[in-house]
Amino acid sequence: MQAAEVSVRAPAATDWTAVSLLTAAMGICGLGLGFSYPLFSLVMERQGADDFTIGLSGAMTGFGLLASNLVLPALLIRCGPLRLLAGGIAGASLCLAAAPYSDVESVWYLLRFALGCFMNIAFIVTEVWLNNASLEAQRGRIVGAFTAVMAAGFALGPLLILLLGDEGALPFLACAGLVLLAALTVLPLQGRPGRRESMNAFDGLDLGAVVGFFRLAPLLAMLVLVYSLFDGTALVILPIYFIEGGFTGEEASAALACLLIGMVILQPFIGWLLDRFTRRRVMALCTLASALCCFAIPSSLDTVWLLGALLLLLGGLAVGLYTGAITLLGEGYSGAPLVAGTTCLAVVYGLGSALGPLAGGAALYSLGPDSVPYLLAALFCATTLFCLRRGKGA
């Protein structure tokens, strides 16, 4: 990033109340959504849907993430950040509550599209607010802790399938209730001193600034794209990959939970590394180690302890790309450029979330199960080279 291109205005002190409430809300959202993603896939697989159809259904959430960015500026002006944050979470809850009463082959596409729209709006507002509330010297650790809590929710979500199963309306209604609880968590931010000042960055948001941000920070866009491709593939396709490898539905959910637990336990350490070493090199280390883990997965399916260890490590390292990207964004940008950057990265995340399940489902269907981890390994290798490349911008 070029420091001369933007004005960086760090807060005098971290707003720990805002950080705590926002982190708690996204952790609760993660719990509900982490439950819902494999739940959708397992229900469709049980009803006879093929791999590509399951991937296409999962991709609709990514398309929703993309589409919501077109209306976000107008919604922010009309509603304000706090109402938009709570409304986005509540809308996602309604989508989940409607799922068990809707047709899998038609209405679910629309529901998952709307789910992506609502959650993207909530994530953008949260990430900008979090960065504006964080002191620069603490940003890496704060973002690492935020990511860890959100990932903890995603990690525990699949384990709820072991408790509630994947049949009937109860699992979906439980997801909806958890997500709705997150909307209540952010309400105490209403009327807080300094809230308006900390959120003035939203006033300058326009789509031209969002598009221009791609040229300013290609590395950030690359990191989020690769993470979102991995994330979309992992949440939607990996449960089916494990089932085709001989796992039961419960075992596939447990394997996915290992991956998601890894997302939690490594984030504080990655945040610590980001605050003490060259952030680009930390990202290169994460991508290279992720590639090695992906290469090793197919040969470890029959060795439970090794597979679990690989999934734990892979989950933490892959999510480290997101932690690094958000940390780098807050390091070099503030105000309107920070909002434009956050929205730009949300567009990239939506693109990857849409393409990941589509590509993963197509690979599973046409090239065989082992093609999925090998393609992910190749993607991580290419990203390692990009991280080590010297060039303008972040």
Side-chain angles (χ1 to χ4, degrees), residues 10-383:
T14 295
D15 183 350
W16 289 109
T17 299
V19 168
S20 300
L21 290 174
L22 293 169
T23 300
M26 290 301 104
I28 297 169
C29 279
L31 182 62
L33 294 174
F35 187 7
S36 73
Y37 282 116
L39 179 61
F40 278 116
S41 296
L42 292 171
V43 170
M44 293 186 71
E45 196 274 338
R46 190 176 63 251
Q47 295 190 9
D50 61 40
D51 298 333
F52 181 76
T53 301
I54 294 172
L56 179 61
S57 178
M60 296 307 296
T61 302
F63 288 127
L65 294 174
L66 281 171
S68 62
N69 292 292
L70 300 176
V71 298
L72 181 59
L75 289 175
L76 282 166
I77 293 172
R78 179 177 293 272
C79 302
L82 181 57
R83 282 194 293 173
L84 195 58
L85 172 57
I89 297 171
S93 175
L94 286 175
C95 292
L96 291 168
Y101 308 106
S102 306
D103 182 65
V104 173
E105 295 182 358
S106 56
V107 181
W108 270 23
Y109 290 100
L110 296 176
L111 284 178
R112 299 185 81 172
F113 179 87
L115 179 64
C117 288
F118 285 124
M119 285 314 305
N120 183 61
I121 289 170
F123 286 143
I124 288 179
V125 175
T126 298
E127 288 168 5
V128 173
W129 202 325
L130 189 77
N131 254 318
N132 275 326
S134 302
L135 193 65
E136 167 58 28
Q138 299 169 325
R139 181 172 284 115
R141 282 161 287 178
I142 289 172
V143 174
F146 169 79
T147 307
V149 170
M150 190 163 61
F154 274 99
L156 294 172
L159 295 178
L160 292 178
I161 293 177
L162 303 178
L163 270 177
L164 300 175
D166 58 5
E167 298 182 3
L170 179 61
F172 287 100
L173 295 178
C175 287
L178 286 169
V179 173
L180 184 60
L181 179 61
L184 302 177
T185 304
V186 300
L187 294 183
L189 292 172
Q190 177 66 42
R192 274 188 50 76
R195 181 183 68 87
R196 179 168 295 278
E197 289 77 3
S198 69
M199 299 306 291
N200 277 342
F202 285 101
D203 295 340
L205 178 62
D206 63 77
L207 292 179
V210 172
V211 174
F213 192 86
F214 282 96
R215 293 181 288 105
L216 288 178
L219 176 61
L220 300 190
M222 180 70 170
L223 290 173
V224 172
L225 177 62
V226 172
Y227 165 65
S228 62
L229 286 167
F230 169 81
D231 191 45
T233 303
L235 292 173
V236 177
I237 299 301
L238 279 187
I240 309 305
Y241 168 75
F242 289 124
I243 286 175
E244 294 191 359
F247 288 46
T248 65
E250 289 77 11
E251 289 169 342
S253 296
L256 182 61
C258 286
L259 183 83
L260 296 171
I261 289 170
M263 295 178 179
V264 180
I265 61 177
L266 277 184
Q267 294 321 297
F269 177 64
I270 291 175
W272 179 83
L273 290 176
L274 289 167
D275 283 339
R276 282 163 175 75
F277 299 99
T278 304
R279 287 167 174 170
R280 182 187 286 261
R281 291 182 179 176
V282 174
M283 293 296 93
L285 175 64
C286 287
T287 53
L288 179 59
S290 296
L292 295 175
C293 289
C294 288
F295 274 124
I297 284 176
S299 60
S300 66
L301 292 179
D302 294 329
T303 310
V304 174
W305 69 267
L306 179 57
L307 177 63
L310 288 172
L311 291 172
L312 283 168
L313 186 59
L314 175 60
L317 293 168
V319 178
L321 304 187
Y322 172 83
T323 301
I326 300 301
T327 302
L328 286 165
L329 178 65
E331 171 192 332
Y333 294 87
S334 67
L338 174 61
V339 181
T342 303
T343 307
C344 166
L345 297 185
V347 171
V348 175
Y349 182 87
L351 181 63
S353 296
L355 293 179
L358 280 176
L364 206 63
Y365 182 77
S366 59
L367 301 177
D370 288 345
S371 62
V372 174
Y374 289 147
L375 288 173
L376 288 172
L379 182 64
F380 282 124
C381 285
T383 310

